[in-house]
Amino acid sequence: SGVPDIVGCLNGVFFGVECKAGKNSPTALQLKEMRKIMDAKGYCVVVTEDNVDELNALPNVLGQKGK
């Protein structure tokens, strides 16, 4: 379906988190769905083992987008 693995809404902003293991990357369908979310003023991120710590910043990023 292309929908991100984790979806939610924080501070009035819809977000999606696509989780990938190893060197895997999003499929074309997943990228299309992520673009739709971003076009609708939402937020999307692809998380791997290398950048999982970036999720700690998600509340701050969504707080800024919600203003």
Side-chain angles (χ1 to χ4, degrees):
S1 71
V3 175
D5 296 311
I6 301 167
V7 294
C9 186
L10 183 65
N11 298 326
V13 180
F14 184 84
F15 67 89
V17 178
E18 183 60 40
C19 304
K20 293 295 178 185
K23 302 293 182 193
N24 291 331
S25 58
T27 66
L29 181 57
Q30 289 169 327
L31 290 172
K32 180 180 176 182
E33 291 301 313
M34 292 172 71
R35 173 56 51 200
K36 285 182 182 178
I37 291 169
M38 291 186 288
D39 287 349
K41 308 292 187 225
Y43 181 80
C44 281
V45 63
V46 177
V47 175
T48 67
E49 295 94 339
D50 296 330
N51 70 343
V52 69
D53 290 338
E54 291 180 23
L55 287 178
N56 292 329
L58 194 61
N60 291 332
V61 170
L62 296 178
Q64 294 300 316
K65 286 185 72 69
K67 290 184 177 181

